[in-house]
């Protein structure tokens, strides 16, 4: 255990850990760290208790599944921690893109104890490695057409299929356009199914949005529905502190002149991601859609705004509202929206989350019963961006066992059982 794993327990509650630099742990309930979600020092003490539980449970002979974590960036690190803290998962390989992580111990990458598993940039070594499942999490913000072989999404899709062909199950949070593969058409499905058949393997996409909030979460709520009139789901976020210039200013166009910016790229990206969530919900509730219509609105700022990726000048894009609308008999029946701002007061007439305007997910189901549910990540003073990372990592790793035990082929939430957080109770 390093110096950062020291903590106190007062009044029956973990308080915090101080690392060697005097910073508090980003996984505690009492203080936020940077919104990037990076754990700033040492291993989170709550995770360490789960880690010890996992090690103890492994010694009692539960069935284990060998895991490769592909991608150890801002979100991949959370999945790596979630693998190491799950007693049924055994980490055997880590694939990274950066040379600075080449040869590093997996534990060091995600600020946990050393594992003896060293990261590699050699994908051929990972393809030949014996493993049951790959957590596939490369960087891919664009949700591009996976059939465009020369595109980033296309190259990631080819690698994903290679993992399947090598006999490994794959659970992925990227390429983002694969959230509901049947929605992408016969050619994409044929590629995936052929790869699964060759390797006798299964594929599943899992994430948070899409990949949970606008699809699986909604479908779970409909279990108590006797009548469904309309469904609306919204993701409401402030991206001011999201430090990815390619995504914020390149894909979304924040800080760009709306007269010259091409919004078709972000619209196409969300048509494959958010549109797929609408299609999954429609298939789940057996509501045949006429079509799914995409729309985008934008609002400009009336002042200069400094955000993590640079200056957003007055008169440039400061908020966007993307929607995917599923029509049944010509009427809007299933609507999924992504509302993004770089300032809380931008687009004041658009929906906000909760009474204090924070970030989160809203679901409204009109019918019998009528329901309105708000899901807030980062509740109780926690870091919302970090909790989004924990959510993706938890969702992926908690789904591994069900995927590995499923029949070969492309799997979705519609044909897999509920995958609760087994073994996740802290000590």
């Amino acid at each position: 255990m390093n110096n950062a794993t020291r903590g106190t327990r007062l009044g029956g509650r973990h308080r915090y850990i101080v690392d060697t630099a005097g910073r508090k742990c980003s996984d505690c309930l009492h203080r936020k760290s940077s919104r990037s979600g990076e754990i700033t020092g040492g291993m989170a003490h709550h995770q360490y208790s789960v880690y010890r539980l996992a090690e103890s449970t492994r010694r009692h002979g539960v069935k284990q599944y060998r895991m490769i974590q592909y991608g150890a960036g801002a979100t991949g690190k959370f999945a790596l921690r979630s693998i190491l803290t799950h007693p049924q998962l055994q980490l055997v390989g880590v694939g990274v893109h950066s040379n600075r992580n080449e040869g590093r111990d997996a534990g060091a990458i995600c600020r946990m104890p050393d594992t003896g598993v060293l990261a590699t940039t050699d994908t051929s070594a990972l393809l030949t490695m014996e493993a049951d499942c790959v957590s596939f999490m490369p960087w891919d913000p664009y949700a591009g057409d996976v059939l465009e072989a020369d595109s980033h999404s296309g190259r990631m899709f080819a690698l994903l299929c290679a993992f399947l062909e090598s006999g490994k199950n794959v659970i992925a949070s990227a390429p983002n356009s694969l959230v509901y593969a049947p929605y992408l058409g016969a050619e994409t499905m044929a590629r995936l199914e052929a790869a699964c058949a060759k390797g006798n393997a299964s594929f599943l996409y899992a994430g948070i949005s899409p990949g949970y909030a606008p699809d699986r979460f909604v479908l779970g709520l409909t279990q108590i529905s006797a009548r469904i009139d309309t469904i609306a789901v919204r993701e409401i976020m402030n991206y001011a502190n999201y430090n990815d210039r390619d995504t914020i200013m390149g894909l979304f166009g924040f800080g760009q002149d709306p007269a010259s910016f091409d919004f078709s790229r972000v619209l196409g990206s969300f048509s494959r991601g958010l549109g797929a969530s609408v299609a999954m919900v429609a298939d789940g509730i057996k509501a045949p859609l006429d079509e799914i219509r995409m729309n985008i609105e934008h609002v400009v700022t009336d002042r200069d705004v400094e955000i993590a990726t640079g200056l957003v000048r007055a008169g440039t894009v400061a908020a966007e509202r993307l929607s995917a609308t599923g029509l049944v008999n010509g009427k809007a029946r299933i609507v999924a929206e992504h509302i993004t701002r770089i300032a809380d007061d931008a687009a004041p007439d658009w929906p906000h989350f909760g009474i204090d305007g924070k970030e989160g997910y809203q679901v409204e189901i009109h019918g019998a019963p009528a329901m309105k549910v708000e899901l807030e990540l980062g509740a109780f003073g926690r870091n919302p961006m970090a909790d989004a990372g924990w959510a993706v990592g938890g969702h992926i790793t908690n789904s591994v066992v069900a995927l590995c035990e499923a029949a070969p082929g492309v799997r979705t939430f519609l044909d897999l059982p509920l995958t609760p957080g087994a073994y996740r109770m802290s000590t």
Side-chain angles (χ1 to χ4, degrees):
M1 189 186 306
N2 63 27
N3 290 335
T5 56
R6 291 175 288 119
T8 61
R9 186 176 177 89
L10 301 176
R13 172 183 289 185
H14 283 295
R15 287 300 176 91
Y16 57 86
I17 305 170
V18 180
D19 69 6
T20 54
R23 295 168 296 192
K24 290 188 178 181
C25 165
S26 69
D27 190 39
C28 73
L29 303 181
H30 307 288
R31 178 176 294 181
K32 296 180 182 179
S33 64
S34 67
R35 287 173 57 96
S36 68
E38 179 65 23
I39 287 187
T40 55
M43 187 201 329
H45 55 293
H46 303 285
Q47 280 301 103
Y48 184 69
S49 69
V50 179
Y51 179 80
R52 289 182 297 176
L53 175 63
E55 289 297 299
S56 174
T57 308
R58 286 189 185 104
R59 291 194 291 269
H60 287 80
V62 297
K63 183 176 180 179
Q64 290 190 295
Y65 301 82
R66 297 162 299 175
M67 293 291 302
I68 293 173
Q69 174 63 35
Y70 186 79
T75 305
K77 290 175 183 177
F78 287 97
L80 194 52
R81 297 179 188 116
S82 293
I83 290 171
L84 294 174
T85 56
H86 197 297
Q88 289 191 269
L89 306 183
Q90 177 190 2
L91 184 70
V92 296
V94 179
V96 294
H97 307 283
S98 170
N99 288 330
R100 67 182 177 86
N101 281 327
E102 173 78 33
R104 291 186 71 195
D105 190 281
I109 291 175
C110 66
R111 299 182 184 273
M112 293 188 72
D114 283 351
T115 63
V117 178
L118 303 183
T120 180
T121 57
D122 185 355
T123 54
S124 61
L126 296 171
L127 287 168
T128 57
M129 185 178 291
E130 291 292 326
D132 300 300
C133 189
V134 179
S135 169
F136 193 76
M137 301 179 67
W139 180 80
D140 181 47
Y142 304 121
D145 186 344
V146 295
L147 298 180
E148 293 181 358
D150 293 334
S151 69
H152 178 76
S153 296
R155 290 189 292 272
M156 292 300 98
F157 182 59
L159 179 58
L160 185 155
C161 288
F163 275 120
L164 289 168
E165 290 169 354
S166 72
K168 302 171 184 63
N169 301 294
V170 175
I171 182 164
S173 65
N176 300 332
S177 49
L178 292 177
V179 57
Y180 188 51
Y183 176 66
L184 296 182
E187 187 174 355
T188 301
M189 278 293 289
R191 282 275 305 275
L192 279 172
E193 289 288 9
C196 290
K198 183 175 181 179
N200 194 37
S202 300
F203 166 76
L204 175 70
Y205 182 99
I208 180 63
S209 183
Y212 181 73
D215 34 67
R216 188 174 195 175
F217 183 53
V218 174
L219 288 168
L221 293 174
T222 66
Q223 286 186 282
I224 62 172
S225 292
R227 189 189 79 246
I228 300 171
D229 298 329
T230 60
I231 296 174
V233 56
R234 304 180 190 95
E235 178 182 8
I236 301 173
M237 294 289 165
N238 184 323
Y239 276 4
N241 292 301
Y242 190 76
N243 195 10
D244 185 337
R245 189 177 181 86
D246 287 342
T247 300
I248 298 302
M249 293 182 165
L251 178 64
F252 283 101
F254 290 119
Q256 306 294 331
D257 181 355
S260 58
F261 182 74
D262 183 3
F263 289 95
S264 64
R265 189 181 187 190
V266 66
L267 196 61
S269 173
F270 275 83
S271 71
R272 289 180 284 269
L274 204 60
S277 293
V278 170
M280 187 193 305
V281 170
D283 285 352
I285 64 172
K286 309 300 181 188
L289 296 179
D290 307 333
E291 61 175 318
I292 296 176
R293 289 182 182 171
M294 300 300 303
N295 186 58
I296 184 169
E297 304 173 53
H298 68 269
V299 168
V300 300
T301 178
D302 59 0
R303 69 184 192 280
D304 290 355
V305 180
E306 188 71 38
I307 64 174
T309 54
L311 182 64
V312 175
R313 295 192 179 279
T316 63
V317 177
E320 286 182 353
R321 184 177 188 175
L322 291 120
S323 63
T325 301
L327 302 179
V328 178
N329 296 324
K331 297 180 179 179
R333 304 296 293 272
I334 305 172
V335 180
E337 291 188 305
H338 181 87
I339 299 172
T340 309
R341 300 173 170 90
I342 53 89
D344 288 335
D345 58 352
D349 295 334
W350 292 357
H352 285 77
F353 180 84
I355 58 174
D356 51 3
K358 290 188 176 181
E359 303 167 315
Y361 307 90
Q362 296 176 335
V363 181
E364 297 176 0
I365 301 179
H366 294 264
M371 292 176 266
K372 182 176 181 179
V373 178
E374 292 195 330
L375 171 63
E376 179 184 356
L377 298 181
F380 315 118
R382 286 176 58 95
N383 182 330
M385 296 301 287
D387 270 2
W390 287 120
V392 176
H395 193 194
I396 284 179
T397 53
N398 291 339
S399 302
V400 167
V401 174
L403 182 66
C404 290
E405 297 298 328
V410 177
R411 306 270 69 89
T412 73
F413 300 135
L414 301 182
D415 53 22
L416 286 181
L418 178 67
T419 55
Y423 303 109
R424 293 302 191 187
M425 183 69 75
S426 61
T427 55

